[in-house]
């Protein structure tokens, strides 16, 4: 490794960071992380903190998951790459597809289409949803519906169904035929409704209304996260996703569950859809499928959808979609080892218990610090706090305040993620109670400094 002077001097000079203003990264160079173990990361100066971001919602098993590391190293020696485009396959990806079929059987999902990450998975599901209707002879079903505040990655299709202006405005025009309905976000919504159950019903009515307005026969799919993540951790009322499922079924619209962060235990259930008792038609996964150690993803497909493709005799079901790295043998080997370890450790049980502790601790911080307008969580290890300058007007806290909070929290032992006015927490699912307390006391110090 080059010496620390070189790294600090060149930090953010020759690379542009995702989700950052290039000039801002140069003016305020990012923390340089050089090592990690367990649930902790270490920076160039040797400062070690608990990673309350979990990499980026993906390092569910922490940074020392030896079986995944070993699987990657071993696979690199045997078969570092081969394509799975028509005509070839590999031993790892065949085994992985069988394992995922068993894992997702309770979700009614039995086929896998492999990708290189979350945005790729979303793009795949959107494209296959359109194709499904064409194969069935309903070529007019091309539109997509989604939730405001939802996050579905940054490819053109994904950005088009995204519900946050930050990821859209500078990249418009986006895909035509994508329409959004209000999210079941109790803190701020157009209905001024703070009761979660009533709000869920109002959002479902808005969905019905939009379908009537667009015409059901023009809509291919509705895509949603079972618990909205990057948009600020918004858990809907338990009636919401089942309600969406019913409406989609009634109108012949496919339901795509974007589970890039919720699959594999984060919500305290094995999948977010299972958490709400819903079976989607497609499920997008990525991130924790390899514990973040290899870029990889899988779109899981429901039996009924798979049958339409597999029984097609018109030729329309030939899949004109795929990635060079679809079914990458090293990624597949990593995912096999990761799934085994995820099951062995029964991570949802710990995610649920530690998630409750974290959520309760954040509510206690809210009692103490007026900066915290809203606390969201209570479903596994995904929580957020929305910061406000004033609780009555709910005016968002400014950037300087969130920057101070993040820096002082970091100095006191925890890395947290700032996204607009939200502080987002998505730590590894192998977190201990002591780690939860460590995150909370670092945040307490951060809030004391930022107020
Ligand atoms: C729900 C959801 N969908 C899609 C994506 C995009 O995944 P990736 O960044 O791997 O492309 C993300 C990333 O955070 C996500 O949270």
């Amino acid at each position: 490794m080059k010496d620390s002077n070189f790294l600090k001097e060149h930090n953010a000079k020759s690379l542009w960071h995702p989700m950052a203003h290039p000039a801002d990264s140069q003016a305020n160079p990012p923390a340089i992380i050089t090592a990690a173990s367990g649930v902790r990361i270490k920076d160039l100066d040797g400062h070690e903190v608990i990673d309350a971001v979990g990499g980026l919602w993906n390092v569910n098993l922490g940074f020392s998951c030896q079986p995944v590391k070993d699987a990657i190293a071993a696979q690199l020696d045997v078969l570092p790459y081969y394509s799975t485009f028509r005509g070839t396959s590999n031993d790892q990806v065949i085994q992985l597809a069988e394992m995922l079929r068993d894992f997702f059987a309770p979700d009614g999902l039995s086929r896998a289409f492999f990708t290189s990450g979350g945005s790729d998975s979303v793009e795949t599901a959107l494209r296959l949803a359109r194709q499904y209707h064409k194969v069935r002879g309903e070529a007019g079903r091309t539109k997509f519906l989604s939730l405001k505040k939802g996050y579905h990655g940054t490819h053109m299709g994904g950005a088009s169904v995204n519900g946050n202006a930050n990821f859209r405005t500078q990249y418009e025009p986006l895909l035509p035929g994508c329409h959004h309905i209000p999210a079941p976000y109790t803190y701020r919504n157009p209905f001024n409704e703070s009761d979660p159950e009533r709000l869920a019903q109002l959002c479902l009515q808005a969905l019905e209304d939009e379908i009537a307005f667009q015409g059901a026969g023009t809509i291919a799919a509705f895509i949603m996260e079972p618990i909205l993540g990057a948009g600020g951790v918004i858990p809907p009322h338990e009636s919401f996703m089942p309600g969406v499922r019913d409406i989609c079924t009634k109108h012949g619209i496919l339901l795509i569950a974007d589970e890039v962060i919720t699959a594999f235990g984060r919500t305290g259930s094995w999948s977010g859809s299972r958490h709400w008792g819903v079976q989607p038609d497609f499920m997008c996964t990525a991130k924790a499928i390899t514990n973040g150690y290899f870029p990889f993803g899988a779109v899981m497909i429901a039996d009924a959808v798979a049958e339409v493709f597999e029984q097609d005799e018109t030729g329309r079901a030939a899949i004109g979609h795929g990635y060079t790295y679809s079914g990458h043998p090293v990624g597949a080997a990593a995912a096999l080892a990761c799934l085994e370890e995820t099951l062995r450790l029964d991570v949802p049980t710990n995610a649920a218990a530690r998630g409750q502790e974290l959520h309760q601790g954040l509510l206690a911080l809210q009692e103490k610090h007026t900066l915290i307008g809203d606390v969201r969580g209570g479903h596994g290890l995904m929580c957020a706090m929305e910061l406000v300058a004033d609780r009555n007007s709910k005016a968002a806290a400014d950037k300087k305040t969130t920057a101070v909070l993040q820096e002082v929290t970091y100095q006191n032992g925890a890395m947290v993620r700032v996204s607009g006015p939200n502080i987002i927490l998505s730590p590894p699912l192998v977190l201990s109670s002591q780690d939860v307390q460590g995150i909370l006391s670092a945040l307490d110090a951060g809030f004391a400094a930022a107020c």
Side-chain angles (χ1 to χ4, degrees), residues 36-39 59-72 288 290-293 334 337-342 344-345 347 430:
S37 78
V39 300
V59 185
N60 282 9
L61 308 180
F63 295 92
S64 308
C65 189
Q66 203 55 42
V68 180
K69 295 181 187 184
D70 290 344
I72 290 173
T290 56
N291 206 31
Y293 295 2
C338 183
L339 259 174
E340 246 170 57
E341 200 56 5
T342 302
R344 188 184 71 78
L345 295 171
V347 291
V430 293

Side-chain angles (χ1 to χ4, degrees), residues 44-348:
L44 192 60
D45 297 322
H47 182 59
E48 195 176 279
V49 299
I50 301 165
D51 182 17
V53 192
L56 200 52
W57 314 84
N58 52 353
V59 185
N60 282 9
L61 308 180
F63 295 92
S64 308
C65 189
Q66 203 55 42
V68 180
K69 295 181 187 184
D70 290 344
I72 290 173
Q75 188 58 38
L76 278 172
D77 270 345
V78 181
L79 179 70
Y81 174 74
Y82 211 79
S83 142
T84 60
F85 277 30
R86 184 171 57 84
T88 50
S89 190
N90 66 70
D91 54 331
Q92 300 299 309
V93 81
I94 295 168
Q95 293 175 73
L96 177 60
E98 291 304 317
M99 193 169 184
L100 288 172
R101 185 182 186 129
D102 291 344
F103 183 88
F104 286 111
D107 301 290
L109 304 163
S110 57
R111 312 291 197 281
F113 189 100
F114 293 104
T115 72
S116 334
S119 298
D120 284 356
S121 290
V122 168
E123 212 67 12
T124 298
L126 296 175
R127 286 167 65 101
L128 292 183
R130 279 189 173 172
Q131 187 174 8
Y132 163 84
H133 292 296
K134 290 196 164 67
V135 173
R136 288 175 60 250
E138 272 200 281
R141 284 188 181 264
T142 58
K143 294 178 188 169
F144 298 112
L145 300 182
S146 58
L147 293 175
K148 288 184 178 164
K149 291 276 167 197
Y151 183 75
H152 302 292
T154 52
H155 291 355
M156 268 311 180
S160 305
V161 292
N162 254 342
N164 187 324
N166 288 347
F167 310 119
R168 301 170 55 86
T169 314
Q170 302 306 324
Y171 306 97
E172 287 175 341
L174 298 169
L175 210 61
C178 295
H179 304 275
H180 298 74
I181 64 159
Y185 170 36
T186 49
Y187 193 57
R188 298 175 200 269
N189 60 73
F191 311 106
N192 210 13
E193 178 58 74
S194 58
D195 177 76
E197 190 168 6
R198 280 203 298 270
L199 179 59
Q201 290 312 309
L202 290 167
C203 294
L204 291 173
Q205 279 169 28
L207 174 58
E208 280 279 20
D209 186 59
E210 190 64 30
I211 292 170
F213 177 68
Q214 299 292 338
T218 69
I219 303 168
F222 180 86
I223 181 167
M224 68 173 281
E225 300 157 271
I227 294 175
L228 284 74
V233 183
I234 301 172
H237 183 263
E238 61 185 19
S239 59
F240 184 67
M241 197 171 177
V244 169
R245 173 70 276 182
D246 289 347
I247 292 172
C248 286
T249 305
K250 186 168 82 182
H251 295 291
I253 296 167
L254 294 172
L255 174 59
I256 303 171
D258 183 351
E259 300 231 20
V260 168
I261 57 179
T262 50
F264 309 112
R266 181 154 295 280
T267 63
S269 304
W270 285 113
S271 73
S273 298
R274 227 177 290 179
H275 193 70
W276 301 128
V278 166
Q279 294 197 329
D281 298 301
F282 288 99
M283 185 189 288
C284 306
T285 77
K287 296 204 186 251
I289 194 169
T290 56
N291 206 31
Y293 295 2
F294 195 92
F296 200 74
V299 176
M300 298 304 301
I301 302 157
D303 295 340
V305 174
E307 275 163 25
V308 167
F309 278 77
E310 290 169 7
Q311 289 168 10
D312 166 65
E313 288 175 358
T314 67
R316 288 197 290 262
I319 294 171
H321 174 78
Y323 307 101
T324 297
Y325 300 117
S326 287
H328 195 299
V330 180
L336 275 167
C338 183
L339 259 174
E340 246 170 57
E341 200 56 5
T342 302
L343 288 163
R344 188 184 71 78
L345 295 171
D346 182 26
V347 291

